[in-house]
Amino acid sequence: MLELANKRVLLGVSGSIAAYKSAELVRLLCKQGAQVRVVMTATATEFIQPLTFQALSGNVVYSAWDDADRGDGMGHIELARWADVIVIAPASADFLARLRQGMAGDLLTTLCLASDGTIAVAPAMNRLMWENAATKENLAVLKQRGIHILGPGTGGQACGEVGLGRMLEPEQLARDIPTLFSTGILSGTKLLLTAGPTREPIDAMRFLSNRSSGKMGYALAQAAIEAGADVTLISGPVALPSPSRAKRLNVNSADEMYDAVMSEVAANDVFISAAAVADYRPANPSKEKVKRKDDNVDLALTQNRDIVASVAALPNKPFTVGFAAETSDVEVHARGKLERKGLDLIAANQVGEGQGAEVDDNAMTMYWADGSQHLEKTTKNKLARQMVAIIGEHYRAES
Ligand code: CTP
């Protein structure tokens, strides 16, 4: 199996004589199945031509600020989002100092600042610069922020000195980069996921729905893809772009979602029910737009089928994960649903008062029969990666 199949590596090249070695690194990453996009600092382009990287990666190379906005749909935020990991190789002493400061004076530092994903640096510099207290402090701060430091190696340097500070060899970096994907934990698994709200028609124009934005479900789909899963996303109506490597099926009502899930589920190993499925639908939806008549109108509702409970009751059920959004007594309600619906895991959070449905940050607790794990408030993307890690571990333990 190609170790980087399906993975997107954004390679940042900063100004160092080691920049020429990154050409070989691009070749090795592509050979392992990665999609590679290269971003160079202005100084890097004085050491090596962008065309070299373009030819090896098969993609345009970005360097100047406006390069990322030249009509290929890859503005700087899109580029940062596109990447599963950002690797800066070589990372010069100057680049590390700017990264530590959170500067955004050029495209590459901006991308790092705009990313909440994995970032790794492969330092390359003279041994005295490496040993300087300023560099050491910069590295310590970056490490503490969760940035991975690859190397440096030791040996002869371009300046004629011998010591620590050489960029790791491309072969070594190409071995290290796959390990940045903490998760290969869902490699080879097929995962079905629902996300977003449902719309329950009242008449030709009107429907009942809820505040779900779909963000948590979509972040989970993305995290599962990064963890190696083959993802099918059944989505209610949301205003979000599809994760590009997922198969997406659009539905409106809970009934349609039920049918879509039931026709897909047999092929899947894991099912995550992140959709905010309406519990009830209007009993007699009208095909015509209903006219205003009386002062008061009664709307009869009938219960929808419970999708996640139906999946969990299948004879060959997949590993099944549900959600519980609660305004009070989170643990009691979550454990109740875990048991009542026959789930393997449930992700529960408190909603209301600026938490839950429409916001970007969230906290969550995952419960299973004999344990639980709390995940601190963070972006939905980071939360999704932590949740996928827990789902993956439990799925592996049971299969
Ligand atoms: N769910 C589902 N089908 C439904 C309703 C809910 O699959 N018809 C799933 C949701 O996707 C979620 C979990 O069930 O994973 C919890 O949904 P929730 O509405 O909180 O559960 P209910 O059993 O309806 O409990 P409550 O009384 O709190 O509404």
Side-chain angles (χ1 to χ4, degrees), residues 273 275 277-279 305-308 322-323 337 340-341:
S273 186
V277 186
D279 288 332
R305 291 169 290 185
D306 191 308
I307 301 171
V308 76
F323 273 74
K337 286 173 192 175
R340 199 167 62 243
K341 301 194 185 204

Side-chain angles (χ1 to χ4, degrees), residues 276-346:
V277 186
D279 288 332
Y280 295 93
R281 67 177 182 279
N284 304 301
S286 164
K287 289 216 171 357
E288 303 291 320
K289 186 174 169 227
V290 177
K291 290 288 177 202
R292 176 166 29 172
K293 286 192 296 249
D294 306 322
D295 283 353
N296 297 309
V297 173
D298 290 326
L299 185 61
L301 299 177
T302 183
Q303 203 169 125
N304 281 323
R305 291 169 290 185
D306 191 308
I307 301 171
V308 76
S310 309
V311 167
L314 291 170
N316 267 329
K317 78 170 192 66
F319 185 87
T320 307
V321 183
F323 273 74
E326 308 291 345
T327 47
S328 64
D329 297 327
V330 177
E331 173 156 11
V332 174
H333 289 307
R335 288 208 173 275
K337 286 173 192 175
L338 182 75
E339 204 169 318
R340 199 167 62 243
K341 301 194 185 204
L343 311 177
D344 295 295
L345 268 178
I346 192 157

Side-chain angles (χ1 to χ4, degrees), residues 124-166:
M125 67 198 74
N126 160 276
R127 77 177 169 86
L128 291 171
M129 290 166 79
W130 174 251
E131 281 159 19
N132 191 291
T135 306
K136 279 193 175 153
E137 197 187 299
N138 290 338
L139 260 300
V141 171
L142 292 173
K143 201 167 176 182
Q144 194 209 336
R145 286 186 199 148
I147 290 182
H148 299 262
I149 318 289
L150 309 175
T154 185
Q157 304 200 316
C159 50
E161 296 197 32
V162 177
L164 257 182
R166 271 168 69 103

Side-chain angles (χ1 to χ4, degrees), residues 48-308:
I48 181 165
Q49 287 290 324
L51 196 58
T52 308
F53 290 117
Q54 182 167 325
L56 289 167
S57 68
N59 285 312
V60 289
V61 171
Y62 307 87
S63 175
W65 235 111
D66 48 0
D67 275 0
D69 293 303
R70 59 186 168 198
D72 62 352
M74 279 277 165
H76 62 279
I77 300 293
E78 276 72 22
L79 255 183
R81 276 203 201 120
W82 174 87
D84 294 330
V85 293
I86 298 180
V87 180
I88 316 294
S92 65
D94 174 72
F95 186 83
L96 293 171
R98 291 190 290 131
L99 190 60
R100 181 252 168 104
Q101 291 296 333
M103 291 195 168
D106 63 13
L107 183 60
L108 191 51
T109 45
T110 306
L111 289 176
C112 294
L113 204 57
S115 163
D116 69 353
T118 305
I119 300 181
V121 294
M125 67 198 74
N126 160 276
R127 77 177 169 86
L128 291 171
M129 290 166 79
W130 174 251
E131 281 159 19
N132 191 291
T135 306
K136 279 193 175 153
E137 197 187 299
N138 290 338
L139 260 300
V141 171
L142 292 173
K143 201 167 176 182
Q144 194 209 336
R145 286 186 199 148
I147 290 182
H148 299 262
I149 318 289
L150 309 175
T154 185
Q157 304 200 316
C159 50
E161 296 197 32
V162 177
L164 257 182
R166 271 168 69 103
M167 184 171 91
L168 291 181
E169 292 305 322
E171 293 73 17
Q172 179 66 49
L173 287 173
R175 277 194 297 275
D176 289 346
I177 289 169
T179 67
L180 296 172
F181 299 89
S182 43
T183 56
I185 193 143
L186 290 177
S187 262
T189 58
K190 286 180 164 281
L191 185 145
L192 181 66
L193 189 140
T194 62
T198 61
R199 286 181 179 172
E200 309 302 322
I202 298 172
D203 66 15
M205 286 294 289
R206 304 175 179 100
F207 54 79
L208 294 179
S209 192
N210 59 63
R211 290 182 186 278
S212 168
S213 65
K215 281 184 187 162
M216 193 67 241
Y218 275 57
L220 277 167
Q222 182 61 37
I225 290 164
E226 286 171 23
D230 192 350
V231 173
T232 303
L233 172 61
I234 297 178
S235 177
V238 296
L240 296 170
S242 294
S244 59
R245 289 163 284 176
K247 170 175 154 196
R248 171 169 160 182
L249 305 170
N250 293 325
V251 296
N252 279 303
S253 65
D255 257 352
E256 286 172 25
M257 189 173 275
Y258 180 95
D259 291 342
V261 167
M262 288 307 164
S263 72
E264 292 289 325
V265 70
N268 285 275
D269 309 297
V270 179
F271 175 60
I272 304 178
S273 186
V277 186
D279 288 332
Y280 295 93
R281 67 177 182 279
N284 304 301
S286 164
K287 289 216 171 357
E288 303 291 320
K289 186 174 169 227
V290 177
K291 290 288 177 202
R292 176 166 29 172
K293 286 192 296 249
D294 306 322
D295 283 353
N296 297 309
V297 173
D298 290 326
L299 185 61
L301 299 177
T302 183
Q303 203 169 125
N304 281 323
R305 291 169 290 185
D306 191 308
I307 301 171
V308 76

